[in-house]
Amino acid sequence: MQHDAPVPDDGSGAGDHEGSDTVSAADGAALLDELRAAIAKYVVLPSDEALNAVTLWVAATHIQPALQHAPRLAVVGPTKGCGKSRVLDVLHETVHKPIMTVNMSTAVLFRVIGKVPRTILVDEADTIFGPKAGENEELRGLLNAGHQRNRPAWRISGPEHKPTPYPTFAMAALAAIGDLPDTITDRAVVLRMQKRKPGEKVTPFRSRYAVPELNTLRDKLAAWLTPLHATAARLVPTMPVEDRAADTWEPLVIVADMASGHWPASARAACLAMTRNEIVQDEQTSLKTRLLRDIRRVFAERDNPEALRTHDLVQELTVDAEAPWAEYGTKGLNAYHLANLLRDFNISPANYRFEEGRQAKAYMRNRFLDAWARYCPDPAQPATSPMQKGAPVTPAKGLPPATPTGTLPVSPPGGAGGPKRAR
């Protein structure tokens, strides 16, 4: 298909069109291979399984009317520059009728989804789900509800104030710095992006060249899959996982089974590997929440001092026989492990001068208040902490709080593992 010149796109997807090229069902595997190579040309994904998953997710957007579930694609990374937005650029040119947004009102989104699902692409999703995004509660609800068919949002509409159902069902990809809420990741294929290594190269994404190439693939996908909607609706594939994970991955496996070749096996292998990875991530998240609770207990047992020496805090944590810290890593929790586990909460040790005049690395209690309030609130305490109200922290015995100094300890090469698993 010829493209004389790329047409600027405002993100509405209005310029999308069904392809006129015809692709036989027998060519499905080769077309997915071609799409996989094109995606890998512009982005470095965390694994081969992740690359297969994105390929199948893109193809599944073209059979949305046949699906019972609309899997999310969560594209997350710890920092800027991990390729999250570039993934969305590639998706925008290959998925079915994309809606690209960084700031769309819920009312607009209700109306643009429509009865024939489009594909929602949300960049900077951390601004929607972050701690300061309370005004986006309706949008979060829409994105959660839209994972399953027949979950409309009801609104009063028109001059007659008539109750009206608005469809929410649509596949969505969300890119964010940091993690997304469990309500999203539980319904998502999760890509945990990392910055490229020095030797990892990609082709620069230039609209003049990339858009025509990717749009041609999009048109071929539509030509192959549109006639197969009825077939896709009837398929009940054998899944290697259960429950919500099966709901999320089923559309990708349906596409793989229709393509045949190596794709049915590749899809199921990706499903197993990536869902297991998320189980590990969930365990780590639960472990960090447990750590916050245990540290709060240690401070409380010592009458909530302003600071605790790192050595003393580690010792108190590891002597608890019911806690996992004595068996953390290879020889139990140490100062490096503690710093690494707390890094995501923006908590780090600092130099502190204690009453006897000795200076040591320590953790200040006021650095934990925000994390305690967010991740493990104490039912006995008011919902709003003194720090949130802006109240100053009272210095202990005339000593001002120490200014954090030094650098965060870094794990030795090879990294420390999580708690030992029971065998």
Side-chain angles (χ1 to χ4, degrees), residues 295-309 312-313 316 352 354-355 362-369 372 393-397:
I295 290 174
R296 181 171 60 192
R297 173 184 54 78
V298 172
F299 270 97
E301 289 174 350
R302 295 198 172 200
D303 296 326
N304 289 320
E306 186 177 83
L308 280 175
R309 289 180 178 85
D312 293 341
L313 180 55
E316 289 289 339
Y352 185 84
F354 289 87
E355 292 180 359
Y363 283 91
M364 264 57 73
R365 183 178 181 275
N366 61 7
R367 295 294 299 275
F368 289 93
L369 297 180
W372 286 339
V393 177
T394 305
K397 299 187 178 182

Side-chain angles (χ1 to χ4, degrees), residues 101-117:
T101 179
V102 293
N103 184 18
M104 181 182 292
S105 72
T106 308
V108 170
L109 197 54
F110 278 148
R111 287 160 175 79
V112 298
I113 288 177
K115 293 182 179 179
V116 179

Side-chain angles (χ1 to χ4, degrees), residues 16 22 37 44 63 90 113 203 245 248 289 299 317 398 413:
D16 287 348
T22 58
V44 174
I63 59 167
V90 173
I113 288 177
T203 300
T248 295
T289 304
F299 270 97
L317 291 169

Side-chain angles (χ1 to χ4, degrees), residues 111-131:
R111 287 160 175 79
V112 298
I113 288 177
K115 293 182 179 179
V116 179
R118 301 179 67 176
T119 308
I120 306 166
L121 307 177
V122 184
D123 203 358
E124 301 181 12
D126 41 299
T127 63
I128 297 175
F129 297 101

